[in-house]
Amino acid sequence: MEPTNLAKNLFSLRRASGLSQEKAAEAAGVTRQALAKWESGETTPDILHCDALAELYGVSLDDLLHFQQKHGSIPPPPRGKHVFGVVQLGDRGQFVIPKRARDLFQLNRGDTLVVLGDTNPGTAGIALVPAQYFTSLLELATQIQGDTDGGEETE
């Protein structure tokens, strides 16, 4: 029998967090044998234990139950973080933002995104931020700057 998403997620989250079955079971208030059965898919924890495990691993209950590991044993992302899939750059650097991401962030055709980057080793990456949020941050920073300058506007 193929393990469920829940069983796979429990196993990979425990391994990723560096916990032994004994430590994870203790934190969830169950025996090591019960946790082993959940991780193998032999049995399923009740909702209260699922909630406790989601808290322990810092993931949403939804991701604990439904996150589908497609490649290897990549665990569900931390709460509030998302893995939307893989995109491929076209000849001119274009790509399609996955529908789930567009829906979650309410992105529509014609929306403007600000592209941010980090080139530091270990944290390197690219981020897309809807322009209205970025603009709000710039306006806030400008207001704060004005407040610290005694209320005078700066150019």
Side-chain angles (χ1 to χ4, degrees), residues 2-17:
E2 177 73 18
T4 62
N5 287 338
L6 174 59
K8 290 178 188 177
N9 292 336
L10 288 173
F11 176 78
S12 63
L13 284 164
R14 180 180 58 76
R15 295 285 304 256
S17 63

Side-chain angles (χ1 to χ4, degrees), residues 2 5 9-11 20 22 34-35 44-45 56 63 75 79 83 88-90 97 99 103 105 119 123 129 131:
E2 177 73 18
N5 287 338
N9 292 336
L10 288 173
F11 176 78
S20 66
E22 290 83 10
L35 185 74
T44 303
L56 172 66
D63 277 343
R79 187 178 290 109
V83 176
Q88 189 170 30
L89 288 178
I97 297 172
K99 182 176 182 346
D103 291 347
F105 291 100
T119 57
T123 60
V129 180

Side-chain angles (χ1 to χ4, degrees), residues 71-150:
H71 303 289
S73 60
I74 298 172
R79 187 178 290 109
K81 309 292 183 193
H82 302 273
V83 176
F84 294 111
V86 177
V87 298
Q88 189 170 30
L89 288 178
D91 293 337
R92 297 181 345 166
Q94 73 277 20
F95 64 92
V96 174
I97 297 172
K99 182 176 182 346
R100 187 168 159 243
R102 293 191 316 264
D103 291 347
L104 182 66
F105 291 100
Q106 300 175 350
L107 299 174
N108 298 297
R109 181 183 181 153
D111 285 351
T112 301
L113 302 174
V114 176
V115 181
L116 305 173
D118 180 348
T119 57
N120 293 313
T123 60
I126 296 174
L128 301 173
V129 180
Q132 70 265 22
Y133 299 124
F134 193 73
T135 303
S136 296
L137 289 174
L138 285 177
E139 290 170 0
L140 178 61
T142 303
Q143 287 175 351
I144 292 170
Q145 179 69 35
D147 290 345
T148 60
D149 291 337

Side-chain angles (χ1 to χ4, degrees), residues 9-78:
N9 292 336
L10 288 173
F11 176 78
S12 63
L13 284 164
R14 180 180 58 76
R15 295 285 304 256
S17 63
L19 294 174
S20 66
Q21 281 187 333
E22 290 83 10
K23 292 289 185 190
E26 182 181 316
V30 298
T31 64
R32 186 202 59 78
Q33 292 83 358
L35 185 74
K37 287 181 179 182
W38 298 342
E39 288 183 356
S40 71
E42 188 177 330
T43 61
T44 303
D46 63 30
I47 192 69
L48 293 176
H49 286 110
C50 284
D51 188 52
L53 290 162
E55 276 298 313
L56 172 66
Y57 298 129
V59 299
S60 71
L61 185 56
D62 185 54
D63 277 343
L64 180 67
L65 297 172
H66 302 291
F67 182 81
Q68 294 182 356
Q69 298 179 23
K70 293 187 168 80
H71 303 289
S73 60
I74 298 172

